[in-house]
Amino acid sequence: MILLSSISLLLIIAIFGLVFHYKKKRKSSIFCFGFLGFYFFIVAVSPIPQLLIHSIEKPFYSSDLDFAKAKYILVLGAGYTDDAKLNDLQKLSASGAARLTHAVLLKSKNPHLKLILSGKSKNQRYSVAEAMARAAIKFGVPSKDIIKFHQTKNTYEEALQ
């Protein structure tokens, strides 16, 4: 049995939509393109993926944990926009900003903790870790309490460091 990735499946549906369009099968063509439009709306419109991510991350937003023995808070990078018109927090993606904000809140309640900020960037001037560090400093986190992982490829590598 062949498993299709979602991109392959979408391309097949688009091809069927075009075939139906050229064969003058209007209802089938409208159904195919309507499905593609609906799929892209669900995936591309920011609130929907953010709600899905939030529902996965929400169980880990516990403020009743005991941080006395902890030393670090690991904040996974989630991308940023290098736009000079935006402030440092606005440059972060919505999920990255939420993660950093929560980490800074935990740090404010537990001043002994250090922040480990991770995230590599391929096509931008500085790494996601650096973008998050700039925002964290604006939040009032001392730079001596920030550790940046610039070059990690994935979460597994971060765990090994």
Side-chain angles (χ1 to χ4, degrees):
M1 184 172 154
I2 298 174
L3 296 177
L4 296 174
S5 69
S6 61
I7 298 290
S8 300
L9 186 61
L10 291 175
L11 286 173
I12 291 169
I13 292 172
I15 290 169
F16 273 111
L18 288 172
V19 169
F20 289 141
H21 177 73
Y22 287 113
K23 290 196 173 216
K24 308 288 185 201
K25 295 190 177 191
R26 186 170 166 80
K27 288 184 180 180
S28 298
S29 175
I30 289 173
F31 176 78
C32 288
F33 290 122
F35 177 80
L36 288 173
F38 178 74
Y39 179 81
F40 283 118
F41 175 77
I42 293 295
V43 171
V45 176
S46 184
I48 294 167
Q50 293 303 322
L51 285 172
L52 295 173
I53 289 171
H54 181 71
S55 67
I56 292 169
E57 291 180 343
K58 187 176 179 179
F60 303 103
Y61 288 160
S62 179
S63 59
D64 58 339
L65 295 174
D66 180 20
F67 289 98
K69 294 180 182 177
K71 295 180 184 177
Y72 307 102
I73 301 170
L74 174 62
V75 184
L76 301 177
Y80 78 98
T81 302
D82 192 11
D83 185 349
K85 298 176 202 163
L86 302 175
N87 69 40
D88 290 323
L89 185 62
Q90 291 172 328
K91 288 180 182 180
L92 299 176
S93 69
S95 57
R99 291 173 186 170
L100 182 64
T101 303
H102 191 73
V104 170
L105 177 65
L106 288 174
K107 171 136 180 66
S108 70
K109 292 179 181 178
N110 304 280
H112 68 284
L113 297 175
K114 294 191 181 295
L115 295 182
I116 298 176
L117 307 175
S118 71
K120 182 177 173 178
S121 180
K122 295 178 184 172
N123 301 324
Q124 293 168 315
R125 289 185 299 148
Y126 48 88
S127 67
V128 176
E130 180 63 32
M132 288 195 303
R134 291 177 183 197
I137 290 168
K138 294 276 173 77
F139 269 130
V141 176
S143 58
K144 68 178 180 57
D145 289 345
I146 297 173
I147 301 167
K148 296 176 265 187
F149 288 171
H150 298 281
Q151 297 301 322
T152 54
K153 294 178 188 171
N154 54 43
T155 308
Y156 178 74
E157 274 191 11
E158 292 165 358
L160 293 178
Q161 290 186 2

